[in-house]
Amino acid sequence: MKFEIEDVTVYFPYDNIYPEQYSYMVELKRALDARGHCLLEMPTGTGKTIALLSLITSYVLSKPQSPLKLVYCTRTVHEMEKTLAELKKLHDYQVKHLGPAARILAVGLSSRKNLCVNPRVLSAENRDSVDAGCRKLTASWVRALAERNPGVPTCEFFEDYERAGSGAVLPPGVYTLQDLRAFGKQKGWCPYYLARHMVQLANVIVYSYQYLLDPKVAGIISKEMQRECVVVFDEAHNIDNVCIEALSVCVRRQTLEGATRNLHRMEQEIDRFKATDESRLRAEYQRLVEGLALRGDLRVNDTWLANPALPDDILKEAVPGNIRRADFFLRVLRRFVQYLKGRLETENVEKESPVAFVASVTNQAGIDQKTLKFCYDRLHSLMMTLEITDTDEFLHIQTICDFATLVGTYARGFSIIIEPFDERMPDVQDPVLQLSCHDASLAIKPVFDRFQTVVITSGTLSPIDLYPRLLNFNPVVSRSFTMSLTRDCICPMVLTRGSDQLPVSTKFDMRSDLGVVRNYGRLLLEMVSVVPDGIVCFFVSYSYMDEIVNSWNESGILKEIMQHKLVFIETQDVVETTLALDNYRRACDCGRGAVFFSVARGKVAEGIDFDRHYGRLVIMFGIPFQYTLSKILLARLEYLRDTFQIKEGDFLTFDALRQAAQCVGRVIRSKADYGMMIFADKRYSRHDKRSKLPGWILSHLRDAHLNLSTDMAVYIAREFLRKMAQPYDKAGSGGKKTLLSQEDIEKMGDSSLNDMLY
Amino acid sequence: MNNGEGRRLAGQAEEEDDEDDVDECGLEAWERAYADERSWESLQEDESGLLRSIDNKALYHAQYRRRLRSLASSNAASRIQKGLIRYLCIVIDLSRAASETDFRPSRMAVVAKNVEAFIREFFDQNPLSQIGLVTIKDGVANCLTDLGGSPESHIKALMGKLECSGDSSLQNALDLVCGYLEQIPSYGHREVLILNSALSTCDPGDIMETIQKCKKSKVRCSVIGLSAEIFICKHICQETGGLYSVAVDESHFKELILEHAPPPPAIAEFAIANLIKMGFPQRAAENVISICLCHKEARGGGYTCPRCKARVCELPTECRICGLTLVSSPHLARSYHHLFPIAPFDEVTPVRLSSSQHKLPKSCFGCQQSLLNPGNRPSLSVECPRCKQFFCIDCDIYIHESLHNCPGCESFRHFKTVSSSEE
């Protein structure tokens, strides 16, 4: 269908549109007009992605004088493929209506692991070894060697791509990763380098967050983007954590041991070079003296990671004299590793600011701040000179240099925390040294500064006014949309009391109370007998889950549950969890019914959907607060309070509730779906907690469902499930229109539509 | 709510429907509270917390129309071929869940009561068909009665065996039923109706294989759930072309189960034209006493097989001696209307009715009741596409479900033949 939003003709590939999609587009259009950033919350299952894509592409089409580029960031490869598939449909539709003028080039970019077509390289098991495998075949010195000696293996795809030169371009169209691979195979060109090349020319790029947020990667991939870009972060409710992780480094004992090995190997290499080809080392030294820009003259296939610090903070200076010589640099690194080893020996938890840390490094190891700062660049240069291709072996020393560079560069917003053991397991010695970033706005700041419009969108961004403060930007539009439904297909409930009318909670002083554990058990037991197929339970932590499952097992509740449904448990092991999930799905499929015990903030809570019969009910046992005694969290809270005036309590509640909303949001993935959500904790009934849930859940949370006991919840569940099992009318009946056709939109102006929605 | 019961009691239905109308508009709310049985159940709280009664009538009618439409469309697809000779196995779930008391007095009792009504209705509508009963208990499926044509024997067997325990197993039930239904002659339509109380099924093997087996042997499986939608049940029905529904309350359950009484459209690939040998036995005089084959007793009356002269007590049946299908001609005649149903009536929008009020009749052609609600608001009404007469909702249901003739079309045809003969 085709309709007008103000001066833009929007091409939408479907015959009908949801009202909330329409108003989403209106808001987005305003943000594009204002060239500002925006923050939009709309529940999953309402077609956010297609609304975004069709508005932005239509906007570009209607304003040919100002070519905008769309950069779409997703969290996972799976989401990337889904987005590209939608875009393909949209593109076909636009070309059908507008002819070849509407042709665009859209590419997805992922790591070599997902794009490589060379079977020899692809046989490696993880990402880093695929990268290294590729480098072994394509590094410039390997290719130079191969020219002289045909016995040296190279990658035929890359060679063909190089030979094609500037002729190697993708014709316009939408390319998923699959299409890219197919195209590469057919032409004999390397899809990875082709995609990286096309990123500069494409109208739409779909890739992962890291390519923009992690300075190590962004420096290479997204360096040369124009300012006229619309950057979209989809599923961005955890964007602050991604930003923080991009600038945090964690050093363990294994890292240090690995780094020592790396250093040893590099020393051998240097000795070898000294004996055979000393001129190389001298040439490098000369280059460093002259202060040549390090990456300026590098070929695309030789770079692997850029500097971990943000582009604005990198000094454009020559490398300091004391590390210009290769063996001097190795000595510095060795001292630094030795120093870190010493620090890890500590018996107590230590917390330091970067300034203090650098001072103590200078004192004890004799390495000054500037040297630290250049560690990464120097290492990079050295590895180039030594012609090291198996970079996956050298991850440890890279981590150390990352750490050194970050510590040397930043004085604020970071802290260094050394913990000799995990606080939950004080008997196991597992020292960790962490450089943790507290300020999410650091990593995302260049993105906000560089690009014209940044759209942050997700199903759960509540409370929506906190994100601008966390990320330190000013959105021109920030809105939350609700879902228009033909029937009340979600049924959130707050359960405050057990079957014996005593309150239930995972508050610290109550959580191990036998009465609470029993009440939670009874709740689940009652629910498994009235809810069909799949039930998902979320607990606040692994340890709490272990504890409660143990005690249910002892009291026989678990056995009773098993009479109705099979029980599966998420563990920290990925393979085991995948297997459990697989079997859980099978049990739901074949009618046996199953319960899945999972942990908020775990892998399952973030990435796995429990739609349709895989999740008819989700129970959130307790409020998933972070582990509040964690040193890193405390340091971050302190920083947030001092810098952004965000109260500790506010941030903790916000974070816990967004996790809870994420968990319960897993059950509903489309409008035809239905599901119940039980928040089993008396604290949810308090206004300050509840009000932080997203609007689309709150609007279905009736006052009568705010203070339930188990028996009442069971009764409501029964009624709800019966009601939902009745055949349902998609188009919506009565006065509530939930699908708009082209005529509907033309008929009603913006004003009436807005009235209807809000 | 009374519609469901009223419409099938052919003779009295019209009067009862009339009473319904009085119920709805004539009595005050407090009077109605005494008039029907459980008025408090049909109350609902609205957003502001006020109580209001549910408008069941409109709801049921909408559902009914949808059913009719889907039936009509599927008929068109399969050239209105219908399976008149049906072999239906009713699977009753007597697992632990059947003792739940959300239906009063218990799910099991409600199921039994309605199965009884269903069996009678079924034989009324499908005189040539047979039913068998199967129960699931303790994870095992048991055959309660073999396929047979006598309502009384089924009902008796069912009422004697009402206790529940253990798990449910759909796979066992399907396996058992499949075994029975595979033996029946190819012209018969194989159907299973599962009345499922449980929410899970404990199966010994892969139920998907069993479903494929059912599909292959053309067994149509339908499920009525008593508690909630279960994926596997939906899957069974989708795969084998059956209906899946979930009952909200007792009256809804009754309606759902009675939906299975009229014959479903035949599966296209299966509906090859077939000649079936049938015998039309004579009824013997009351005073001629002979030993009947069904009860092995000497009694008067009964029927004599025209081929081997054996005596049977009830029709329709299969002769125990020569295997001939014995029916009486009214049985065939009664099955006939399924093949030539009346077209569904078109809904008349209230707008059209009120805008062109001067032309259109204000009362139902069938019952002569006014088509206007009190307060001169037009109520829902329908129009026959052939004779263009207007009918009220109740007459619409009555005509399609019981009468199987449109009074409008019939009277006009009569009128035409009379007038043409006069000329």
Side-chain angles (χ1 to χ4, degrees), chain B residues 94-130:
Chain B
L94 292 179
S95 64
R96 204 183 315 114
S99 61
E100 295 252 355
T101 54
D102 50 350
F103 286 69
R104 304 279 169 204
S106 72
R107 290 184 186 175
M108 180 172 58
V110 169
V111 168
K113 193 172 115 195
N114 287 296
V115 166
E116 182 188 344
F118 172 73
I119 291 175
R120 292 185 197 286
E121 175 71 17
F122 180 83
F123 284 116
D124 186 50
Q125 295 213 27
N126 309 278
L128 302 176
S129 303
Q130 297 193 0

Short mmCIF file of all heavy atoms in Angstrom, two decimals, chain B residues 94-130:
data_model
loop_
_atom_site.label_atom_id
_atom_site.label_comp_id
_atom_site.label_asym_id
_atom_site.label_seq_id
_atom_site.Cartn_x
_atom_site.Cartn_y
_atom_site.Cartn_z
N LEU B 94 -10.99 -40.00 30.54
CA LEU B 94 -11.33 -40.17 31.96
C LEU B 94 -10.05 -40.20 32.80
O LEU B 94 -9.90 -41.00 33.71
CB LEU B 94 -12.13 -41.45 32.17
CG LEU B 94 -13.53 -41.45 31.57
CD1 LEU B 94 -14.20 -42.78 31.83
CD2 LEU B 94 -14.36 -40.33 32.13
N SER B 95 -9.14 -39.32 32.46
CA SER B 95 -7.92 -39.25 33.26
C SER B 95 -8.19 -38.41 34.50
O SER B 95 -9.29 -37.92 34.71
CB SER B 95 -6.79 -38.64 32.44
OG SER B 95 -7.12 -37.32 32.11
N ARG B 96 -7.15 -38.19 35.29
CA ARG B 96 -7.27 -37.46 36.55
C ARG B 96 -7.97 -36.10 36.36
O ARG B 96 -8.78 -35.67 37.15
CB ARG B 96 -5.88 -37.25 37.12
CG ARG B 96 -5.81 -37.04 38.58
CD ARG B 96 -4.37 -36.77 39.02
NE ARG B 96 -3.40 -37.67 38.42
CZ ARG B 96 -2.45 -37.29 37.56
NH1 ARG B 96 -2.36 -36.04 37.19
NH2 ARG B 96 -1.59 -38.16 37.07
N ALA B 97 -7.63 -35.45 35.25
CA ALA B 97 -8.14 -34.11 35.02
C ALA B 97 -9.66 -34.08 34.86
O ALA B 97 -10.29 -33.04 35.06
CB ALA B 97 -7.49 -33.52 33.78
N ALA B 98 -10.26 -35.22 34.55
CA ALA B 98 -11.71 -35.24 34.34
C ALA B 98 -12.47 -35.08 35.65
O ALA B 98 -13.67 -34.84 35.66
CB ALA B 98 -12.11 -36.54 33.66
N SER B 99 -11.78 -35.21 36.77
CA SER B 99 -12.49 -35.05 38.04
C SER B 99 -12.50 -33.60 38.52
O SER B 99 -13.07 -33.30 39.55
CB SER B 99 -11.82 -35.93 39.10
OG SER B 99 -10.48 -35.51 39.27
N GLU B 100 -11.86 -32.71 37.77
CA GLU B 100 -11.87 -31.29 38.15
C GLU B 100 -13.30 -30.78 38.21
O GLU B 100 -14.16 -31.22 37.46
CB GLU B 100 -11.09 -30.49 37.11
CG GLU B 100 -9.63 -30.84 37.05
CD GLU B 100 -8.77 -29.73 37.62
OE1 GLU B 100 -9.34 -28.67 37.97
OE2 GLU B 100 -7.56 -29.94 37.72
N THR B 101 -13.49 -29.85 39.10
CA THR B 101 -14.88 -29.43 39.32
C THR B 101 -15.17 -28.03 38.77
O THR B 101 -16.06 -27.35 39.25
CB THR B 101 -15.20 -29.45 40.82
OG1 THR B 101 -14.22 -28.65 41.48
CG2 THR B 101 -15.17 -30.84 41.38
N ASP B 102 -14.40 -27.60 37.77
CA ASP B 102 -14.74 -26.28 37.21
C ASP B 102 -16.01 -26.35 36.38
O ASP B 102 -16.65 -25.33 36.13
CB ASP B 102 -13.56 -25.68 36.45
CG ASP B 102 -12.97 -26.64 35.44
OD1 ASP B 102 -13.34 -27.82 35.47
OD2 ASP B 102 -12.15 -26.20 34.63
N PHE B 103 -16.39 -27.51 35.92
CA PHE B 103 -17.73 -27.73 35.40
C PHE B 103 -18.48 -28.44 36.51
O PHE B 103 -17.91 -29.31 37.17
CB PHE B 103 -17.70 -28.63 34.16
CG PHE B 103 -17.18 -27.96 32.92
CD1 PHE B 103 -15.85 -27.61 32.80
CD2 PHE B 103 -18.03 -27.70 31.86
CE1 PHE B 103 -15.38 -26.99 31.66
CE2 PHE B 103 -17.57 -27.08 30.71
CZ PHE B 103 -16.24 -26.72 30.62
N ARG B 104 -19.75 -28.08 36.73
CA ARG B 104 -20.46 -28.70 37.86
C ARG B 104 -21.28 -29.87 37.39
O ARG B 104 -21.92 -29.79 36.35
CB ARG B 104 -21.37 -27.68 38.53
CG ARG B 104 -20.69 -26.46 39.00
CD ARG B 104 -20.01 -26.66 40.31
NE ARG B 104 -19.15 -25.51 40.58
CZ ARG B 104 -18.11 -25.55 41.38
NH1 ARG B 104 -17.81 -26.64 42.02
NH2 ARG B 104 -17.37 -24.49 41.56
N PRO B 105 -21.36 -30.96 38.10
CA PRO B 105 -20.59 -31.27 39.31
C PRO B 105 -19.14 -31.62 39.02
O PRO B 105 -18.29 -31.40 39.85
CB PRO B 105 -21.32 -32.47 39.88
CG PRO B 105 -21.98 -33.10 38.70
CD PRO B 105 -22.31 -32.02 37.75
N SER B 106 -18.87 -32.21 37.86
CA SER B 106 -17.48 -32.44 37.49
C SER B 106 -17.42 -32.52 35.98
O SER B 106 -18.43 -32.70 35.31
CB SER B 106 -16.95 -33.74 38.10
OG SER B 106 -17.53 -34.83 37.44
N ARG B 107 -16.21 -32.39 35.45
CA ARG B 107 -16.07 -32.43 34.00
C ARG B 107 -16.62 -33.74 33.45
O ARG B 107 -17.34 -33.75 32.46
CB ARG B 107 -14.59 -32.32 33.62
CG ARG B 107 -14.02 -30.96 33.87
CD ARG B 107 -12.59 -30.92 33.37
NE ARG B 107 -11.94 -29.67 33.72
CZ ARG B 107 -10.67 -29.40 33.49
NH1 ARG B 107 -9.91 -30.30 32.91
NH2 ARG B 107 -10.15 -28.24 33.81
N MET B 108 -16.30 -34.80 34.16
CA MET B 108 -16.70 -36.12 33.70
C MET B 108 -18.22 -36.24 33.58
O MET B 108 -18.74 -36.72 32.57
CB MET B 108 -16.18 -37.12 34.73
CG MET B 108 -16.48 -38.54 34.49
SD MET B 108 -15.57 -39.47 35.69
CE MET B 108 -16.21 -38.80 37.22
N ALA B 109 -18.93 -35.76 34.60
CA ALA B 109 -20.39 -35.87 34.60
C ALA B 109 -20.98 -35.04 33.47
O ALA B 109 -21.92 -35.47 32.78
CB ALA B 109 -20.95 -35.40 35.94
N VAL B 110 -20.42 -33.85 33.26
CA VAL B 110 -20.92 -32.99 32.19
C VAL B 110 -20.70 -33.65 30.84
O VAL B 110 -21.58 -33.66 29.98
CB VAL B 110 -20.22 -31.61 32.27
CG1 VAL B 110 -20.52 -30.80 31.03
CG2 VAL B 110 -20.65 -30.88 33.51
N VAL B 111 -19.52 -34.21 30.69
CA VAL B 111 -19.21 -34.88 29.42
C VAL B 111 -20.19 -36.01 29.19
O VAL B 111 -20.80 -36.12 28.12
CB VAL B 111 -17.76 -35.41 29.43
CG1 VAL B 111 -17.52 -36.34 28.27
CG2 VAL B 111 -16.77 -34.26 29.39
N ALA B 112 -20.39 -36.83 30.21
CA ALA B 112 -21.27 -37.98 30.05
C ALA B 112 -22.68 -37.53 29.67
O ALA B 112 -23.31 -38.08 28.76
CB ALA B 112 -21.29 -38.79 31.33
N LYS B 113 -23.15 -36.51 30.35
CA LYS B 113 -24.51 -36.03 30.10
C LYS B 113 -24.66 -35.57 28.65
O LYS B 113 -25.64 -35.87 27.98
CB LYS B 113 -24.78 -34.84 31.05
CG LYS B 113 -26.22 -34.43 31.13
CD LYS B 113 -26.39 -33.40 32.23
CE LYS B 113 -26.81 -32.08 31.62
NZ LYS B 113 -26.66 -30.96 32.53
N ASN B 114 -23.66 -34.84 28.19
CA ASN B 114 -23.77 -34.30 26.85
C ASN B 114 -23.48 -35.33 25.77
O ASN B 114 -24.02 -35.23 24.68
CB ASN B 114 -22.84 -33.10 26.69
CG ASN B 114 -23.38 -31.90 27.43
OD1 ASN B 114 -24.44 -31.41 27.09
ND2 ASN B 114 -22.68 -31.49 28.47
N VAL B 115 -22.66 -36.32 26.11
CA VAL B 115 -22.44 -37.39 25.14
C VAL B 115 -23.75 -38.13 24.92
O VAL B 115 -24.09 -38.48 23.79
CB VAL B 115 -21.33 -38.35 25.62
CG1 VAL B 115 -21.34 -39.63 24.82
CG2 VAL B 115 -19.98 -37.68 25.51
N GLU B 116 -24.50 -38.29 25.98
CA GLU B 116 -25.79 -38.95 25.85
C GLU B 116 -26.68 -38.18 24.86
O GLU B 116 -27.22 -38.75 23.92
CB GLU B 116 -26.47 -39.03 27.22
CG GLU B 116 -27.78 -39.74 27.16
CD GLU B 116 -28.54 -39.65 28.47
OE1 GLU B 116 -27.92 -39.31 29.50
OE2 GLU B 116 -29.75 -39.91 28.44
N ALA B 117 -26.77 -36.89 25.07
CA ALA B 117 -27.59 -36.08 24.18
C ALA B 117 -27.05 -36.14 22.76
O ALA B 117 -27.82 -36.21 21.79
CB ALA B 117 -27.59 -34.63 24.66
N PHE B 118 -25.74 -36.15 22.66
CA PHE B 118 -25.12 -36.17 21.35
C PHE B 118 -25.44 -37.46 20.61
O PHE B 118 -25.77 -37.47 19.43
CB PHE B 118 -23.61 -36.00 21.48
CG PHE B 118 -22.87 -36.21 20.20
CD1 PHE B 118 -22.93 -35.25 19.20
CD2 PHE B 118 -22.12 -37.36 19.97
CE1 PHE B 118 -22.25 -35.44 18.00
CE2 PHE B 118 -21.45 -37.55 18.78
CZ PHE B 118 -21.52 -36.59 17.79
N ILE B 119 -25.35 -38.57 21.34
CA ILE B 119 -25.58 -39.86 20.68
C ILE B 119 -26.99 -39.90 20.10
O ILE B 119 -27.20 -40.30 18.96
CB ILE B 119 -25.36 -41.02 21.67
CG1 ILE B 119 -23.88 -41.11 22.02
CG2 ILE B 119 -25.85 -42.32 21.10
CD1 ILE B 119 -23.55 -42.14 23.07
N ARG B 120 -27.95 -39.40 20.87
CA ARG B 120 -29.33 -39.40 20.37
C ARG B 120 -29.46 -38.52 19.14
O ARG B 120 -30.04 -38.89 18.12
CB ARG B 120 -30.29 -38.91 21.45
CG ARG B 120 -30.39 -39.89 22.61
CD ARG B 120 -31.44 -39.42 23.60
NE ARG B 120 -31.27 -40.11 24.87
CZ ARG B 120 -31.61 -41.38 25.08
NH1 ARG B 120 -32.15 -42.08 24.09
NH2 ARG B 120 -31.41 -41.94 26.24
N GLU B 121 -28.90 -37.34 19.24
CA GLU B 121 -28.98 -36.40 18.14
C GLU B 121 -28.28 -36.96 16.90
O GLU B 121 -28.74 -36.81 15.77
CB GLU B 121 -28.33 -35.07 18.58
CG GLU B 121 -28.24 -34.02 17.51
CD GLU B 121 -29.60 -33.43 17.15
OE1 GLU B 121 -30.54 -33.61 17.93
OE2 GLU B 121 -29.67 -32.80 16.08
N PHE B 122 -27.16 -37.59 17.16
CA PHE B 122 -26.36 -38.14 16.06
C PHE B 122 -27.16 -39.15 15.26
O PHE B 122 -27.23 -39.10 14.04
CB PHE B 122 -25.11 -38.78 16.63
CG PHE B 122 -24.19 -39.38 15.61
CD1 PHE B 122 -23.29 -38.58 14.93
CD2 PHE B 122 -24.24 -40.73 15.31
CE1 PHE B 122 -22.44 -39.12 13.97
CE2 PHE B 122 -23.41 -41.28 14.35
CZ PHE B 122 -22.51 -40.48 13.69
N PHE B 123 -27.80 -40.06 15.97
CA PHE B 123 -28.56 -41.08 15.25
C PHE B 123 -29.81 -40.50 14.62
O PHE B 123 -30.30 -41.01 13.62
CB PHE B 123 -28.90 -42.26 16.17
CG PHE B 123 -27.72 -43.14 16.42
CD1 PHE B 123 -27.18 -43.28 17.67
CD2 PHE B 123 -27.13 -43.80 15.35
CE1 PHE B 123 -26.08 -44.08 17.88
CE2 PHE B 123 -26.02 -44.61 15.55
CZ PHE B 123 -25.49 -44.74 16.82
N ASP B 124 -30.29 -39.42 15.20
CA ASP B 124 -31.43 -38.75 14.58
C ASP B 124 -31.04 -38.18 13.23
O ASP B 124 -31.77 -38.28 12.25
CB ASP B 124 -31.91 -37.64 15.53
CG ASP B 124 -33.18 -37.01 15.02
OD1 ASP B 124 -34.10 -37.79 14.69
OD2 ASP B 124 -33.23 -35.78 14.93
N GLN B 125 -29.86 -37.58 13.18
CA GLN B 125 -29.44 -36.94 11.94
C GLN B 125 -28.76 -37.90 10.97
O GLN B 125 -28.76 -37.66 9.77
CB GLN B 125 -28.46 -35.80 12.26
CG GLN B 125 -29.11 -34.68 13.04
CD GLN B 125 -28.52 -33.35 12.67
OE1 GLN B 125 -28.02 -33.17 11.58
NE2 GLN B 125 -28.58 -32.41 13.60
N ASN B 126 -28.11 -38.91 11.51
CA ASN B 126 -27.38 -39.83 10.64
C ASN B 126 -27.87 -41.25 10.89
O ASN B 126 -27.20 -42.05 11.54
CB ASN B 126 -25.89 -39.79 10.92
CG ASN B 126 -25.34 -38.39 10.91
OD1 ASN B 126 -25.05 -37.84 9.87
ND2 ASN B 126 -25.24 -37.82 12.10
N PRO B 127 -29.01 -41.57 10.39
CA PRO B 127 -29.58 -42.87 10.73
C PRO B 127 -28.77 -44.03 10.18
O PRO B 127 -28.91 -45.14 10.66
CB PRO B 127 -30.96 -42.83 10.08
CG PRO B 127 -31.16 -41.45 9.61
CD PRO B 127 -29.86 -40.79 9.50
N LEU B 128 -27.92 -43.78 9.22
CA LEU B 128 -27.18 -44.89 8.62
C LEU B 128 -25.82 -45.10 9.26
O LEU B 128 -25.06 -45.93 8.84
CB LEU B 128 -26.97 -44.62 7.13
CG LEU B 128 -28.23 -44.40 6.32
CD1 LEU B 128 -27.88 -44.07 4.90
CD2 LEU B 128 -29.08 -45.66 6.36
N SER B 129 -25.53 -44.33 10.28
CA SER B 129 -24.16 -44.33 10.81
C SER B 129 -24.04 -45.15 12.08
O SER B 129 -25.03 -45.57 12.67
CB SER B 129 -23.71 -42.91 11.09
OG SER B 129 -23.82 -42.15 9.92
N GLN B 130 -22.79 -45.33 12.52
CA GLN B 130 -22.54 -46.10 13.73
C GLN B 130 -21.56 -45.37 14.64
O GLN B 130 -20.74 -44.58 14.18
CB GLN B 130 -21.94 -47.46 13.35
CG GLN B 130 -22.90 -48.29 12.54
CD GLN B 130 -22.46 -49.72 12.44
OE1 GLN B 130 -21.42 -50.11 12.97
NE2 GLN B 130 -23.25 -50.52 11.74
#
